[in-house]
Amino acid sequence: MTLNKNNNILNKNNIIIIFFLFIIINYAFFNYRILFRENSFILGDWLINYSGGFVKRGLIGHFFYLISKSFNISIIHIIFFFSTSIYIFYLYFFYQIIKDKLDNNLIIIFLFLPSTFLFNFFDPLTVGRKEILVFFFFSFYYLYIDKIKENINFKILTFFLSIIIMLTHELIFFFIPYMFAIKYFHIKKNFEKFNIKDYYLEILIFISTLILVIIIINFSHMHDNNTLCNSVLDVGISTDVCNGTIKEFGVKIGVGFLVLLPYFLERNYFINYSLYFLLSLLPLALIIFSSSNKNQNKLILIFLSIFCLIFSLTFFNIVNDWGRYFNIIFILQFLIILKFIEINKDQNEIKFYINKYILLILVFFYLTSWHMPHCCNPSIGKGYSDIYVRIKKRILDNSNESTKYKDLPREYLRKFFNID
């Protein structure tokens, strides 16, 4: 008996809701573990504040610092609640964006890629990072773009959000062009003619964040790093957390491309991440190919997508965790294409001249046989088989390093499998 589409628990909408709930639980679980183990790069990044003077990424951390000191609240609890809540809001915004577009199976495939929404699942050390603010900002911008365009209060809110995020992580500057691309196709969808006035907010945000980038480059290194490090003692955190991100901020000159190039070559970055790039953007390329939009619109989309990509790649020569930033690029490219297909909602079906069961096997293999590490791995990520190896190693490892934390999930699994 065929169930009614709306009552079928396995309809596409419910599957996506269940999927998003799963990745929220995964995010909250690892966010809690990482923060309370005082990871020096993840927790340390959120602890950056202005106690030692102006420093990049310090704004929200300074608010956390003041709240923790003033009200005697654990700063780790504050960071955990804030970062998890931002992640939930981001996924809620994204669900609202895609819920009416799930008839396109390529969109669903993109959601389940190990380099997009499952990125945190395959690499838990990407959980709790400040890029969730970028995801939050752009999903908010996309969802409320009409209100931002018409309502002065939403304009002000969007502008100040961009500045707050910029002073919390300068990364957002390199993705501002995506705002222009999303706005362009939104205006195109409404059959409006080009008018520079429609882009005043985006231009203001770009100029303001550019000025802040210049200020950060010229003045951020002048803070007292020892005072910044000592401030973590005031909120009950071990100074060991200073050995990660906070320590790096004590260096005036950042690491350059020539210094990192041997590392990139040794770890096969150029080959591996090129493959991740091609694998991740394949569904988006097929969406463009199957779209009934005019060829002119497709060419404009390709031009804008490439321009945004090149602009956001400009800082890759000074960072080694390429996977994190490719993850952002894939999601934002997805947003551009989602706005592009809204211009003409008629989607031509791609016909694959292959047996449907063979096609399902190929799609399953495509989604499960690889993943994209956030950095450092010289070999291609092996997907779910790497998850199995990681869990098995974690359960069996009984070294002092493995047991120094009270890890209840590990203890329960060891009991379940009768491991002494």
Side-chain angles (χ1 to χ4, degrees):
M1 181 177 69
T2 302
L3 294 175
N4 182 280
K5 181 180 179 181
N6 294 326
N7 295 327
N8 184 359
I9 194 172
L10 293 180
N11 64 45
K12 293 178 181 179
N13 185 71
N14 288 342
I15 289 173
I16 296 304
I17 291 175
I18 294 170
F19 172 63
F20 276 9
L21 288 174
F22 165 74
I23 57 178
I24 286 172
I25 292 170
N26 174 79
Y27 188 93
F29 175 76
F30 283 106
N31 196 22
Y32 186 89
R33 286 166 64 94
I34 288 169
L35 291 176
F36 280 88
R37 294 181 181 191
E38 298 189 1
N39 183 286
S40 61
F41 286 96
I42 298 175
L43 175 61
D45 205 9
W46 289 107
L47 291 174
I48 297 166
N49 60 74
Y50 296 147
S51 59
F54 177 75
V55 62
K56 65 179 181 178
R57 306 187 190 180
L59 182 60
I60 286 183
H62 196 70
F63 281 111
F64 293 160
Y65 174 74
L66 293 176
I67 293 170
S68 179
K69 284 197 67 178
S70 300
F71 299 98
N72 196 27
I73 302 172
S74 165
I75 196 167
I76 296 181
H77 280 103
I78 296 171
I79 294 169
F80 171 76
F81 177 79
F82 175 82
S83 55
T84 304
S85 298
I86 288 293
Y87 186 76
I88 292 172
F89 273 113
Y90 149 60
L91 287 183
Y92 170 76
F93 292 156
F94 224 100
Y95 169 73
Q96 295 299 323
I97 291 168
I98 64 170
K99 66 178 182 179
D100 296 326
K101 303 178 177 67
L102 297 178
D103 287 338
N104 189 327
N105 290 326
L106 291 169
I107 288 177
I108 297 176
I109 288 174
F110 185 83
L111 296 177
F112 282 91
L113 281 178
S115 55
T116 57
F117 288 89
L118 283 171
F119 182 59
N120 300 139
F121 173 71
F122 282 97
D123 193 341
L125 286 178
T126 62
V127 168
R129 304 278 189 167
K130 284 184 174 179
E131 53 259 32
I132 58 171
L133 297 172
V134 178
F135 292 134
F136 172 87
F137 177 80
F138 279 94
S139 56
F140 167 83
Y141 176 79
Y142 186 110
L143 186 61
Y144 295 105
I145 192 166
D146 279 322
K147 291 184 178 180
I148 294 170
K149 187 171 180 287
E150 304 295 336
N151 189 306
I152 185 63
N153 292 325
F154 270 84
K155 279 185 171 68
I156 295 171
L157 174 61
T158 304
F159 174 75
F160 279 105
L161 269 177
S162 70
I163 300 303
I164 291 170
I165 295 173
M166 178 67 196
L167 290 173
T168 303
H169 200 315
E170 69 284 359
L171 170 73
I172 192 173
F173 169 74
F174 298 94
F175 298 101
I176 296 300
Y178 284 93
M179 296 181 70
F180 290 89
I182 293 170
K183 173 65 76 67
Y184 173 83
F185 286 113
H186 184 74
I187 291 174
K188 193 83 172 176
K189 179 190 74 171
N190 296 328
F191 303 103
E192 299 177 33
K193 293 182 179 180
F194 176 83
N195 189 334
I196 190 65
K197 292 181 180 179
D198 292 325
Y199 298 88
Y200 278 176
L201 174 62
E202 290 74 18
I203 294 170
L204 176 62
I205 289 174
F206 180 81
I207 294 173
S208 301
T209 52
L210 176 60
I211 292 171
L212 287 175
V213 166
I214 296 171
I215 292 173
I216 287 169
I217 291 173
N218 285 281
F219 297 102
S220 184
H221 65 273
M222 297 175 67
H223 72 285
D224 185 336
N225 209 58
N226 290 328
T227 302
L228 170 59
C229 182
N230 290 333
S231 70
V232 304
L233 289 172
D234 295 340
V235 288
I237 305 296
S238 167
T239 52
D240 290 342
V241 81
C242 295
N243 293 326
T245 305
I246 293 175
K247 182 179 180 180
E248 289 182 349
F249 281 7
V251 181
K252 180 176 179 180
I253 301 175
V255 178
F257 177 71
L258 293 179
V259 175
L260 287 173
L261 181 58
Y263 179 89
F264 294 155
L265 294 173
E266 178 188 357
R267 302 303 174 100
N268 299 321
Y269 265 42
F270 298 107
I271 296 174
N272 290 354
Y273 283 100
S274 295
L275 180 61
Y276 300 140
F277 179 84
L278 294 174
L279 286 171
S280 300
L281 293 187
L282 176 61
L284 301 187
L286 292 175
I287 290 173
I288 299 171
F289 174 76
S290 64
S291 171
S292 56
N293 273 294
K294 297 178 181 179
N295 288 333
Q296 180 185 5
N297 289 337
K298 292 181 181 180
L299 289 174
I300 294 173
L301 170 66
I302 293 170
F303 171 79
L304 290 176
S305 296
I306 292 175
F307 175 79
C308 291
L309 173 65
I310 292 173
F311 193 90
S312 57
L313 285 175
T314 53
F315 68 96
F316 271 53
N317 64 326
I318 58 172
V319 296
N320 73 336
D321 38 2
W322 283 13
R324 290 170 54 201
Y325 305 117
F326 269 124
N327 176 238
I328 301 173
I329 288 172
F330 299 151
I331 299 297
L332 297 190
Q333 291 283 343
F334 187 39
L335 285 177
I336 294 177
I337 290 175
L338 288 177
K339 186 59 70 176
F340 165 77
I341 64 176
E342 288 182 3
I343 297 175
N344 190 335
K345 295 184 178 180
D346 294 332
Q347 197 76 11
N348 298 330
E349 182 180 354
I350 296 181
K351 293 184 178 181
F352 294 96
Y353 297 97
I354 188 173
N355 181 281
K356 66 177 180 180
Y357 296 108
I358 296 177
L359 181 61
L360 287 173
I361 292 172
L362 291 175
V363 170
F364 177 80
F365 180 78
Y366 169 60
L367 294 176
T368 61
S369 62
W370 64 279
H371 75 280
M372 180 179 68
H374 81 281
C375 77
C376 318
N377 195 337
S379 57
I380 299 294
K382 296 179 181 178
Y384 287 91
S385 65
D386 274 1
I387 295 277
Y388 169 76
V389 171
R390 187 182 76 210
I391 294 174
K392 181 180 178 181
K393 180 180 178 181
R394 183 75 188 111
I395 294 174
L396 296 178
D397 185 7
N398 206 30
S399 64
N400 291 334
E401 181 65 25
S402 179
T403 57
K404 69 179 181 179
Y405 299 105
K406 187 171 183 179
D407 193 337
L408 291 179
R410 175 180 176 276
E411 292 177 13
Y412 292 146
L413 287 171
R414 287 176 65 88
K415 289 179 180 178
F416 180 80
F417 290 107
N418 294 319
I419 301 172
D420 295 327

